[in-house]
Amino acid sequence: MRVAIDAIPLLLRSAGVKTYLYNWISHLRTTARDAEVLAFPFLHSFGEFSHERSVVGPVSTWARIAFLMAGNYSPVSLFDWFGPKIDLFHASHQMRNPPRKCRLTATVYDMTCWLMPEMHSRANVAANHVFIESIAKRADGLIAISENTRQDLIRLAGVRPERVKVIYPGVSEAFFNATPDSAHAVRAKFGLSRPYVVAIGTIEPRKNIDRLLDAWDALTPDVRDEYELVLAGPIGWAEPQTIARLKSGASGIRYLGYVSDADLPGLTRGASAFAYPSLYEGFGLPVGEAMAAGVPVVTSAISSMPEVAGGAALLADPRSTEEIRGALERLLCSASLRADLSTRGRKVAERYRWEQCAVDSWRFFESLCS
């Protein structure tokens, strides 16, 4: 069996999807037996991983993007004529005119553009609707990264339930293996001298940063005197007032900006708690990463986050500042609760191994090609 994975997102500036594809392709190749994994278009090997830049050089990047655009807007499927013969093609959200002489699959990460279009640009919303119509509804089978995403896809896009398989993504081994020494090094690098609660993710409306800041301000003074709130992640399409609050230098709040993948496990491991009150997630990878690192989590009681947390986190209504505040205060005021959630979280996180994701993916591919 020859499988081609559309790896165009590895050429773009991206966060979660890029992390998923980079690790997924690598582990699919490692676990392949009599199968071959090709990365479209013509990506035989990857360079150093970064969210901020392509995995290949500028010339190679633009040549591949031009090839994609030509194929997307061609009246015939160019991808059937250029490149190796394959049994299955797994399309990205950038693909519009996929190969037609093989099985077609794709991964659906979330349906947030359908449920919360006001939190995205018009172009992003339009592109996601085109993906559903041109790829998802044509595909022989689809991967959903959580049961919540699967149900949203079935309900909102009318995809038949039997065509959608839930396969959880993995968490990087670096989070499972994060140590107190790695945490100490990152704390020293960023000058984090006090115990802290960390929130990690792109700064965008869906991440609910303003309510988290409001909840932090509402904590009792003795809690805020003991801990600081540390936020890490690039500025996405956040509101100007949110950015201003992060950069205001308010006492007890630190905004680190973009933090490299190399430092994220240590930054997470060094935290007393992890806060992730997102308004919607297809999976919520930072929650899985925090649990893998043994850090107790406060997250949202909606969308996929209760499913991913698996009973090993405190849940709060993300639209209630008071519930977020209460969950944070309860956790920070109880060492025994933090220890309990740390232990239970590590056990739940064992579900999210890239090796298992790759094995489940191969079974799914084989079922489509049999």
Side-chain angles (χ1 to χ4, degrees), residues 64-265:
R64 286 165 171 81
I65 291 175
F67 179 57
L68 171 73
M69 298 301 290
N72 275 347
Y73 294 102
S74 170
V76 297
S77 182
L78 290 182
F79 306 132
D80 281 328
W81 301 99
F82 294 93
K85 300 302 180 184
I86 53 176
D87 300 296
L88 182 145
F89 186 85
H90 188 89
S92 74
H93 284 223
Q94 285 71 38
M95 177 61 64
R96 296 291 177 266
N97 194 9
R100 298 172 186 175
K101 297 181 179 180
C102 61
R103 298 292 187 182
L104 177 65
T105 70
T107 296
V108 178
Y109 302 97
D110 60 57
M111 297 294 286
T112 181
C113 284
W114 296 62
L115 292 165
M116 297 179 172
E118 71 280 3
M119 294 192 175
H120 296 272
S121 68
R122 290 184 180 180
N124 197 24
V125 172
N128 273 272
H129 279 259
V130 170
F131 167 77
I132 292 295
E133 294 298 326
S134 62
I135 301 296
K137 289 186 177 181
R138 288 177 49 193
D140 297 284
L142 296 166
I143 293 172
I145 61 173
S146 67
E147 180 60 34
N148 182 82
T149 292
R150 177 177 179 270
Q151 293 298 331
D152 284 345
L153 177 65
I154 293 166
R155 175 170 56 89
L156 296 170
V159 176
R160 295 195 308 275
E162 65 272 15
R163 292 176 53 227
V164 190
K165 172 71 173 176
V166 175
I167 301 177
Y168 290 133
V171 168
S172 168
E173 282 296 313
F175 288 91
F176 288 99
N177 298 333
T179 64
D181 286 344
S182 65
H184 178 76
V186 173
R187 288 172 66 104
K189 178 176 180 177
F190 291 106
L192 302 173
S193 57
R194 293 166 56 188
Y196 63 90
V197 175
V198 71
I200 297 173
T202 301
I203 309 302
E204 55 162 301
R206 184 165 51 94
K207 301 305 181 182
N208 207 23
I209 298 301
D210 284 302
R211 283 198 184 89
L212 175 59
L213 294 173
D214 291 342
W216 189 262
D217 288 341
L219 290 171
T220 57
D222 56 330
V223 174
R224 282 189 286 113
D225 287 343
E226 183 176 356
Y227 296 94
E228 64 180 347
L229 176 64
V230 175
L231 301 103
I235 297 293
W237 48 98
E239 296 294 334
Q241 60 266 29
T242 305
I243 301 170
R245 291 183 73 180
L246 290 175
K247 296 183 176 181
S248 67
S251 177
I253 296 175
R254 292 278 307 278
Y255 174 55
L256 304 181
Y258 173 77
V259 173
S260 71
D261 273 17
D263 288 331
L264 284 178

Side-chain angles (χ1 to χ4, degrees), residues 52-72:
E52 299 297 298
R53 59 182 181 273
S54 172
V55 296
V56 296
V59 174
S60 296
T61 295
W62 285 111
R64 286 165 171 81
I65 291 175
F67 179 57
L68 171 73
M69 298 301 290
N72 275 347

Side-chain angles (χ1 to χ4, degrees), residues 260-339:
S260 71
D261 273 17
D263 288 331
L264 284 178
L267 180 66
T268 303
R269 176 69 172 81
S272 299
F274 188 90
Y276 202 72
S278 176
L279 295 170
Y280 179 94
E281 294 292 327
F283 182 83
L285 185 60
V287 171
E289 291 170 341
M291 293 192 300
V295 178
V297 172
V298 171
T299 191
S300 301
I302 59 174
S303 72
S304 67
M305 287 164 283
E307 175 187 349
V308 174
L314 291 188
L315 304 178
D317 178 355
R319 298 191 182 275
S320 169
T321 299
E322 178 57 28
E323 282 202 25
I324 299 170
R325 183 209 64 80
L328 286 170
E329 196 153 286
R330 181 184 169 200
L331 188 59
L332 295 176
C333 292
S334 175
S336 61
L337 178 59
R338 295 197 300 274

